Amino acid sequence: YTAIPPGLDPRLDQLALKLTAGLPDPLAKARAITNYLRGPLFTYDSSVGAPPGGQDPLTYFLFTSRRGYCVHFASSMALLARLAGLPSRVVGGYVTGTYENGSWVVRGENAHTWPEIFFTGVGWVPFEPTPGFASAPTPAQVTAGARATGSGAQLIAQPTKNVPLTPPQP
């Protein structure tokens, strides 16, 4: 949850530091990364293919194409979070399907990927960096906030269920 792949493009580390420099707590850092990916530079595009010439997909996404789907956004946020010192993971699941004849029907087109950040004392908290999913009832919608205390910031959030509240092991 904290491991960094070897041989990364140095621009990735520079971007993570630029986005989170001077921020007071882990939640502010996670929100800064989320807001960057949801910002005007990036576009949701489910038809994106592999990058040309065998380029690294995340580097190509973040610095060249800036077009992608949930896997690109979630993976980018998880990597940038780790580079900023935040334990992170990528989770796959489904957004709400459609209600048909008294039952919920969930199809492959409802598949979704999102990142989760680990906060000590809270657990894994899902985030939603993918544009266009803000109003969808996804697992990544949480009520989170930070309250300043004398020793820094305390996270107030609704974590995912059944997770340990101790730091994760890599």
Side-chain angles (χ1 to χ4, degrees):
Y1 303 114
T2 59
I4 306 295
L8 288 179
D9 185 316
R11 295 178 297 169
L12 292 164
D13 193 47
Q14 293 166 2
L15 177 60
L17 294 175
K18 177 183 171 187
L19 294 174
T20 61
L23 295 177
D25 58 73
L27 180 60
K29 292 177 181 184
R31 284 183 168 166
I33 296 167
T34 301
N35 292 339
Y36 176 73
L37 292 169
R38 293 184 65 82
L41 293 177
F42 294 92
T43 303
Y44 178 83
D45 183 349
S46 62
S47 66
V48 170
Q55 296 180 54
D56 175 70
L58 293 186
T59 303
Y60 183 76
F61 167 71
L62 286 167
F63 299 109
T64 305
S65 74
R66 296 188 169 147
R67 303 181 74 79
Y69 48 92
C70 59
V71 171
H72 297 96
F73 287 93
S75 299
S76 292
M77 180 162 177
L79 179 59
L80 291 171
R82 286 183 183 190
L83 290 168
L86 305 174
S88 64
R89 65 185 182 187
V90 175
V91 180
Y94 296 88
V95 295
T96 306
T98 56
Y99 193 72
E100 299 176 12
N101 301 320
S103 298
W104 283 98
V105 177
V106 180
R107 296 181 172 88
E109 64 198 33
N110 302 119
H112 189 53
T113 304
W114 61 92
E116 292 183 343
I117 308 295
F118 187 86
F119 294 93
T120 302
V122 176
W124 290 104
V125 177
F127 284 81
E128 184 51 85
T130 306
F133 282 84
S135 61
T138 69
Q141 290 182 320
V142 296
T143 302
R147 177 177 64 226
T149 66
S151 62
Q154 177 182 352
L155 180 70
I156 304 165
Q158 179 64 44
T160 53
K161 304 289 186 236
N162 302 319
V163 294
L165 298 182
T166 56
Q169 301 301 310

